[in-house]
Amino acid sequence: MAGLVESTRCAGRRGHSERRAGWRQQPATIPLSATKSSSVAPASYTEDIYRASELDSSPALCGFASSCGKMVLGSCEEGIVRDMNGLENSNGYGHQAAAAKQQLEREDGEDESKWYEEEIDDDLKICYALNSVLHRGTSKYQEIALIDTKHFGKALIIDGKMQSTEVDEFIYHESLIHPPLLFHPDPKTVFIMGGGEGSAAREVLRHKTVERVVMCDIDDEVVEFCRTYLTVNRDAFQSQKLVLIINDARAELEKNGEKFDVIVGDLADPVVGGPCYQLYTKSFYEHVLKPKLADQGIFVTQAGPAGVLTHKEVFSSIYNTLRHVFKHVKAYTAHVPSFADTWGWVMASDHPFTLNAQQIDHRIVDRIHGELLYLSGEFLISSTTLNKSVCLTLLNETHVYTEDDARFIYGHGRAHFA
């Protein structure tokens, strides 16, 4: 967003067996270093080693999960489960891999299914069938993995949470970027907090009015990894309009004298132990972010799960916190299949959001290069109409994010042989 520490989850939607161009594949055998800091994937790669399965492997919700431990991502090619946080790796893994593969072969000669599990709660998991784990490692700030799923293609995992997949990432990133830029009368400068994946910058750069995009992500290893292997965003990273800064977003905004037409929060979900929750607080919005907005400026942030059963985790609180800082706040949602939930975003400004569907459609045609796959004027307007349960929660929410009183999203992920 689904993204990175300061990144950070219709019409035109592709079938499950299609793969968006630009997600590069890596070799079948991936050496895993015993060092915790190893997060740079091998430079060489072999095209089409892992082929997309034609099986309909929809994610399955599995109850009675064990309590969350450290995130574990195993080498599926080797059949060995290793701790993402640096449990001991044995030398001579190639021999062990061959033995493990033989043990996992069925009588008919086929391998057992391999799965990535994301723990949603103590007693709830979502499972994704895997072709392979392409890469995993740990940077200074977060755990990183690139996996190849049967249903959603390549998927980027940060700190055990699904960030995006090649099949449906356009839903998340179109919903994050285009609403604020379309509602703004003439957006020329944009600041992206996080966004190391590059997809948010890619969508911003589709707007003809935009002259300068500053993308500030704290994790240079994640940015370099995504720049190298998510080739769908290669043009965005190479754009002369993009200014890439490796720094803490708060520190960068505080020292930057520039004001921006749109500021985007493409941040990781607030999780226990992560630094990201501080960029969802009232004090940050009020004293750091808002003063950096130009006249008629708009702020937008991803706001976590927004489903009937999940919207109270952080979505309603982020919405209410922004209501204490801005005069006009607009929440909207969309279903993201790979997240197995409805996702939420919140726009905020001191100027009202007054466009109708027809006006939005005209701006899409006039301002944006290429055709949007997901958003239209009518759908954008309809996405701000929330179901009764969520709407009532937003109206009655009292919690405000502070450094001492924050809400967090539960969860971790692991890949293993079923």
Side-chain angles (χ1 to χ4, degrees):
M1 67 181 120
L4 310 179
V5 158
E6 292 184 13
S7 80
T8 156
R9 301 171 251 318
C10 85
R13 184 183 168 217
R14 302 168 189 269
H16 74 272
S17 63
E18 294 184 39
R19 300 292 179 259
R20 296 193 74 187
W23 288 66
R24 184 180 295 176
Q25 297 171 329
Q26 298 190 33
T29 302
I30 304 173
L32 297 179
S33 168
T35 4
K36 185 176 179 181
S37 61
S38 172
S39 67
V40 180
S44 63
Y45 67 96
T46 302
E47 293 289 345
D48 297 325
I49 292 295
Y50 304 107
R51 301 186 183 277
S53 170
E54 296 301 320
L55 297 177
D56 187 2
S57 309
S58 300
L61 292 177
C62 311
F64 304 102
S66 59
S67 59
C68 177
K70 294 180 180 178
M71 178 182 179
V72 184
L73 277 174
S75 168
C76 291
E77 288 300 313
E78 300 168 1
I80 302 169
V81 177
R82 290 186 171 87
D83 192 327
M84 285 283 289
N85 282 318
L87 290 182
E88 181 179 357
N89 290 322
S90 172
N91 292 328
Y93 62 85
H95 175 73
Q96 293 181 345
K101 185 174 182 180
Q102 290 176 2
Q103 292 175 0
L104 289 169
E105 286 181 348
R106 296 176 179 172
E107 292 183 359
D108 59 4
E110 295 181 357
D111 288 346
E112 292 283 352
S113 295
K114 294 164 283 189
W115 296 84
Y116 166 73
E117 292 181 353
E118 185 169 313
E119 295 183 359
I120 307 301
D121 211 329
D122 284 328
D123 57 359
L124 189 65
K125 297 178 183 178
I126 181 171
C127 305
Y128 304 80
L130 285 181
N131 290 318
S132 58
V133 174
L134 301 178
H135 170 73
R136 65 55 148 171
T138 304
S139 74
K140 179 180 177 181
Y141 298 100
Q142 54 205 341
E143 297 161 343
I144 315 161
L146 182 66
I147 62 177
D148 183 14
T149 70
K150 292 182 182 294
H151 193 86
F152 295 106
K154 309 299 182 300
L156 183 65
I157 312 294
I158 300 291
D159 282 340
K161 305 296 289 184
M162 182 80 74
Q163 300 298 309
S164 66
T165 72
E166 61 182 314
V167 168
D168 65 1
E169 60 88 9
F170 67 92
I171 301 174
Y172 173 92
H173 289 107
E174 285 191 13
S175 298
L176 173 69
I177 296 301
H178 297 299
L181 269 73
L182 289 169
F183 274 104
H184 193 283
D186 187 26
K188 296 184 181 298
T189 57
V190 178
F191 186 95
I192 302 173
M193 300 189 296
E197 178 183 337
S199 298
R202 179 197 70 212
E203 294 300 317
V204 170
L205 290 165
R206 296 178 65 184
H207 283 255
K208 301 173 185 177
T209 63
V210 169
E211 299 173 353
R212 174 177 165 85
V213 183
V214 177
M215 187 177 86
C216 181
D217 196 286
I218 198 171
D219 199 330
D220 59 338
E221 293 182 71
V222 167
V223 172
E224 187 58 34
F225 175 80
C226 293
R227 190 208 304 255
T228 302
Y229 294 101
L230 303 188
T231 57
V232 67
N233 297 329
R234 179 173 292 167
D235 289 344
F237 279 114
Q238 294 177 346
S239 173
Q240 296 299 310
K241 296 180 180 180
L242 179 67
V243 178
L244 175 60
I245 297 174
I246 303 300
N247 195 7
D248 173 75
R250 182 185 187 116
E252 186 61 30
L253 284 172
E254 287 176 334
K255 76 174 186 180
N256 195 318
E258 187 177 358
K259 292 197 173 187
F260 299 90
D261 296 318
V262 175
I263 297 179
V264 178
D266 189 14
L267 303 166
D269 300 322
V271 294
V272 176
C276 228
Y277 79 92
Q278 298 179 29
L279 301 181
Y280 292 95
T281 60
K282 180 177 180 289
S283 62
F284 172 70
Y285 291 149
E286 188 171 24
H287 301 301
V288 179
L289 187 146
K290 187 175 180 180
K292 296 301 180 180
L293 283 172
D295 183 42
Q296 300 190 55
I298 298 175
F299 170 62
V300 66
T301 183
Q302 79 90 12
V308 172
L309 302 180
T310 56
H311 66 277
K312 295 181 182 180
E313 293 179 2
V314 296
F315 179 61
S316 60
S317 181
I318 293 171
Y319 172 80
N320 188 55
T321 302
L322 286 167
R323 282 202 304 174
H324 282 74
V325 179
F326 292 90
K327 294 179 181 178
H328 302 276
V329 178
K330 185 72 69 174
Y332 58 101
T333 64
H335 179 69
V336 181
S338 60
F339 294 172
D341 204 348
T342 299
W343 213 253
W345 298 265
V346 182
M347 285 193 300
S349 178
D350 280 343
H351 296 268
F353 303 103
T354 57
L355 296 181
N356 60 35
Q358 186 176 17
Q359 291 170 320
I360 293 171
D361 282 332
H362 286 158
R363 287 191 175 182
I364 289 174
V365 172
D366 293 341
R367 293 186 181 185
I368 296 177
H369 293 288
E371 184 178 356
L372 297 182
L373 296 175
Y374 185 69
L375 283 181
S376 66
E378 186 174 6
F379 184 79
L380 176 52
I381 295 299
S382 69
S383 70
T384 65
T385 301
L386 309 177
N387 66 65
K388 182 178 180 180
S389 175
V390 175
C391 187
L392 288 176
T393 299
L394 296 189
L395 290 174
N396 296 318
E397 181 62 75
T398 60
H399 179 261
V400 173
Y401 259 93
T402 67
E403 286 78 1
D404 298 324
D405 185 12
R407 290 180 180 175
F408 300 99
I409 288 180
Y410 177 92
H412 248 333
R414 67 176 58 194
H416 72 101
F417 290 100

